[in-house]
Amino acid sequence: ASSLGAAAAQSGRYFGTAVAAGKLSNGTYAGILDREFNMITPENEMKWDATEPSRGSFNFGSADQIVSHAQAHGQRMRGHTLVWHSQLPNWVSALSATDLQTAMDNHITQVMNHFKGKIYAWDVVNEAFADGSTQHRSSPFQDKLGNGFIEHAFRTARSVDANVKLCYNDYNIENWSDAKTQGVYSMVKDFKARGVPIDCVGFQSHFGSGGAPASLQTTLSNFAALGVDVQLTEVDIAQASSSAYAGTVNACLNVARCTGITVWGIRDSDSWRSGDNPLLFDGNGNAKAAYTSVLNAL
Ligand code: XIL
């Protein structure tokens, strides 16, 4: 195949990237995007601070730009993200428990309704677990609404849209033996046992230069065995070695329910970790060695 998207499609998977609306007018950027990728995650444009900067006042302008671009170029979308402690406007953090619950439900409802029919999967809750622990992290949602806020968010999301896939997304859950991985695994197992609607788990996969932990494939298969799809949702790897990228991609390819891979940006210069040169294209938009290694692995 002659592109990442086409290569991934040979096995029924997608290959995506994070996109910033403000860069779509850059010809080099849009050229690579439309040549290589068939799934798009808005890098920031669907986060709470962008979509509901003040209570009840919704702004979908920049996210709509990305959705329009995707529709014009036959790309699907991951929605990112509805409930997250970060990039959360101050007004949300200041609410009482009762108001926070109402605001959370309203945010999920308004945002999902706006994009209904245009999104393949939503990251309903992002990064709710604490590093080095099986427990949830402290956040306005956790601290005011308690442990049940994740279940509540998924149930609300399902009530808004019966068709879209609902994902839990996190980082540092790629290594099977990590406490955080086990905590998320227990939650998904419990959700499936009790019929709480969850369809997928996103493994962000922000890796150091060594690449994925050796257990990544085991982790993906163990989660998949619970009855959820799994996806690598924000891949970037310090120094982007060919072998680290190939290992990461192969872990997904070896798991039937690993449905796709998204890298977190196009060129190194677009990366939130630009100092690590962690992506598949250099600052000039030229494919790096890791690009070829991924293309060959797919
Ligand atoms: C990052 C974006 O890439 C940056 O532009 C922004 O300043 C901060 O957020 N986990 C996530 C992503 O789920 O939304 C984050 O994206 C990276 C870590």
Side-chain angles (χ1 to χ4, degrees), residues 130-293:
D131 287 313
S133 157
T134 59
Q135 305 300 306
H136 299 173
R137 73 167 69 230
S138 168
S139 74
F141 305 107
Q142 176 66 27
D143 301 348
K144 289 177 184 156
L145 308 179
N147 278 326
F149 89 89
I150 303 179
E151 171 172 350
H152 187 93
F154 277 86
R155 289 192 186 279
T156 302
R158 179 53 78 228
S159 76
V160 176
D161 189 339
N163 298 311
V164 73
K165 289 188 183 296
L166 306 178
C167 301
Y168 177 78
N169 192 55
D170 213 331
Y171 67 93
N172 281 354
I173 58 167
E174 295 86 6
N175 184 26
W176 177 244
S177 62
D178 283 356
K180 188 171 172 182
T181 308
Q182 293 301 311
V184 174
Y185 179 82
S186 300
M187 174 189 76
V188 175
K189 189 174 182 184
D190 170 59
F191 279 14
K192 294 304 282 187
R194 291 189 298 109
V196 180
I198 184 169
D199 303 303
C200 37
V201 177
F203 298 78
Q204 291 185 10
S205 308
H206 297 294
F207 296 138
S209 56
S215 61
L216 176 59
Q217 186 181 318
T218 299
T219 303
L220 296 176
S221 6
N222 287 344
F223 273 83
L226 295 176
V228 287
D229 289 341
V230 293
Q231 299 152 4
L232 307 185
T233 52
E234 305 183 10
V235 178
D236 50 20
I237 306 178
Q239 312 320 324
S241 80
S242 296
S243 61
Y245 259 101
T248 301
V249 167
N250 280 319
C252 175
L253 296 179
N254 289 333
V255 176
R257 287 198 79 164
C258 185
T259 57
I261 301 171
T262 295
V263 291
W264 204 241
I266 297 178
R267 302 160 301 188
D268 284 335
S269 49
D270 300 315
S271 173
W272 71 313
R273 303 169 63 190
S274 57
D276 289 338
N277 296 319
L279 296 175
L280 301 177
F281 295 87
D282 68 20
N284 295 319
N286 295 314
K288 295 160 63 177
Y291 168 87
T292 309
S293 136

Side-chain angles (χ1 to χ4, degrees), residues 18 42-44 47 80-81 84 86-87 123 126-127 169 171 204 206 234 264 270-272:
E43 185 170 5
N44 291 297
K47 293 172 180 175
H80 177 76
T81 175
W84 187 28
S86 190
Q87 293 177 267
D123 290 333
N126 195 34
E127 302 184 350
N169 192 55
Y171 67 93
Q204 291 185 10
H206 297 294
E234 305 183 10
W264 204 241
D270 300 315
S271 173
W272 71 313

Side-chain angles (χ1 to χ4, degrees), residues 11 90 161:
S11 66
N90 288 331
D161 189 339

